[in-house]
Structures are given as structure tokens and as C-alpha cells.
Amino acid sequence: MAIDITLVGYGAAFCTTCSFIPQVWQIIQSRNTESISLLMYCIFVFGVFLWCVYGVVVKDLPLIIANLVTLILAAIILAMKLRDTISKAKNSSLRQI
């Protein structure tokens, strides 16, 4: 019995996409992004965006869905990290005054 390779794609998409949910949940609950690398998430979000574009061009639905959901989840983490980084920079500059 041959397995449809598209099912493998959907399975991979499901696993890799769902792997971000615990991280997003933890960051939302704790409001702590201190251990997250800003540069890594900037590069990662851009890379996932490019994967989305690629998926649209080649018309690969598992690739599009997985990367679109991953893009949203990673962008949430990036937005919270940027907010914390900007807030800390402002607080640091205010203390110096």
C-alpha cells in the first residue's frame, strides 16, 4: 500500500507548526521574552515568509498552510520580543537622565 506523499507533507506541516504553540503560550502567559534571540526571530520570520511565498508560487497547499500558521505564531513571539526590547531601551535611557 503506497502512502500519498501529500499526507506526509500535511503530517510534517502539522508537527512543525504545532511545535510553536507551547512557546507562544509560555511567552503570552509569562510575558517574558528575555531568553529569546531578537536577531534569530527576525531572520526566522523573514525565512518563513519566504517559504510562504515559495509555497504560493509552486502551489503546494501543505507548505502554504504550515508556513502561514508558523509565520503568525513566530510573528507573535517577535512582536512581543520587540515590545520588550523597546520598553527596556526606553527605561534604560530614562534611568540615565
Side-chain angles (χ1 to χ4, degrees):
M1 179 173 146
I3 188 165
D4 183 3
I5 197 66
T6 304
L7 292 176
V8 173
Y10 279 110
F14 179 80
C15 291
T16 57
T17 300
C18 287
S19 71
F20 274 87
I21 294 171
Q23 185 68 63
V24 172
W25 185 253
Q26 181 180 4
I27 289 172
I28 289 171
Q29 292 295 311
S30 69
R31 302 277 189 217
N32 183 355
T33 62
E34 203 167 302
S35 64
I36 303 274
S37 167
L38 178 60
L39 180 59
M40 178 269 177
Y41 264 90
C42 287
I43 295 168
F44 181 74
V45 167
F46 184 66
V48 174
F49 169 76
L50 293 176
W51 275 117
C52 287
V53 171
Y54 176 78
V56 169
V57 170
V58 299
K59 298 178 176 124
D60 187 329
L61 195 57
L63 194 62
I64 295 166
I65 293 170
N67 284 292
L68 191 58
V69 174
T70 301
L71 180 62
I72 292 165
L73 295 172
I76 291 169
I77 293 171
L78 179 59
M80 293 182 79
K81 177 64 177 180
L82 285 168
R83 181 199 66 195
D84 291 349
T85 301
I86 292 167
S87 175
K88 284 183 183 179
K90 284 181 182 178
N91 288 339
S92 177
S93 66
L94 287 176
R95 283 187 209 137
Q96 293 177 357
I97 295 176

